[in-house]
Amino acid sequence: MNAKEYLSQAMWLDQRINSKLEQLDTLRALAAKVGANLTEEKVSGGNNIKSHVENTVAKIVDLENEINEDIDRLVDVKAEITGTINQVDDPISQIILEQRYINGKGWDEVAREIGFDIRTAFRAHGKALKEIKKIKKRQ
């Protein structure tokens, strides 16, 4: 795993959590929709609506557990990455790496926050990645 892949782990995990949260919203909406139909009369031979609600609730609980596990892992990954970033000598490089990989900010915002144009921010980022690579080799 190269330096950029190592640092990007938190961003990808955060996106995965957000995706699962969207899925959870969809399941909850579905459970509410199916639950609202419980007052309708059951047609002989039709599907058991209650079992659909139970299945949906079980899926919601399973997905909530997955999300909680992912959040725990995200906290651990961010702590590890932050520890690695803190070993970088240049404070500007640290800020760039933290803003980009821990806080998930876009390049325009990162550059603006440190007072650089975007090309200068990219150059500083490249230099910081080289230092991260050296740090990871020592670990």
Side-chain angles (χ1 to χ4, degrees), residues 108-120:
D108 289 334
E109 194 173 359
V110 171
R112 187 173 45 255
E113 286 190 17
I114 58 174
F116 286 5
D117 63 56
I118 198 154
R119 287 177 33 185
T120 305

Side-chain angles (χ1 to χ4, degrees), residues 18-109:
N18 289 335
S19 175
K20 287 182 180 181
L21 287 170
E22 287 179 27
Q23 293 172 35
L24 187 60
D25 287 343
T26 302
L27 282 173
R28 285 183 175 148
L30 179 62
K33 184 188 266 188
V34 171
N37 290 333
L38 285 176
T39 59
E40 296 178 5
E41 291 183 36
K42 186 175 188 282
V43 177
S44 179
N47 289 336
N48 184 353
I49 294 174
K50 188 173 182 180
S51 68
H52 289 301
V53 173
E54 290 170 351
N55 289 339
T56 304
V57 169
K59 289 177 184 176
I60 288 170
V61 170
D62 290 344
L63 188 54
E64 286 174 337
N65 289 335
E66 279 183 43
I67 291 168
N68 287 332
E69 289 171 9
D70 287 346
I71 289 171
D72 290 343
R73 190 168 42 246
L74 178 62
V75 169
D76 293 341
V77 166
K78 281 189 174 187
E80 179 187 334
I81 292 170
T82 299
T84 303
I85 290 172
N86 288 339
Q87 295 177 50
V88 173
D89 291 329
D90 179 35
I92 298 294
S93 295
Q94 287 180 351
I95 293 168
I96 290 170
L97 296 172
E98 287 171 357
Q99 292 300 316
R100 178 66 181 159
Y101 297 105
I102 300 299
N103 299 332
K105 294 186 178 177
W107 283 113
D108 289 334
E109 194 173 359

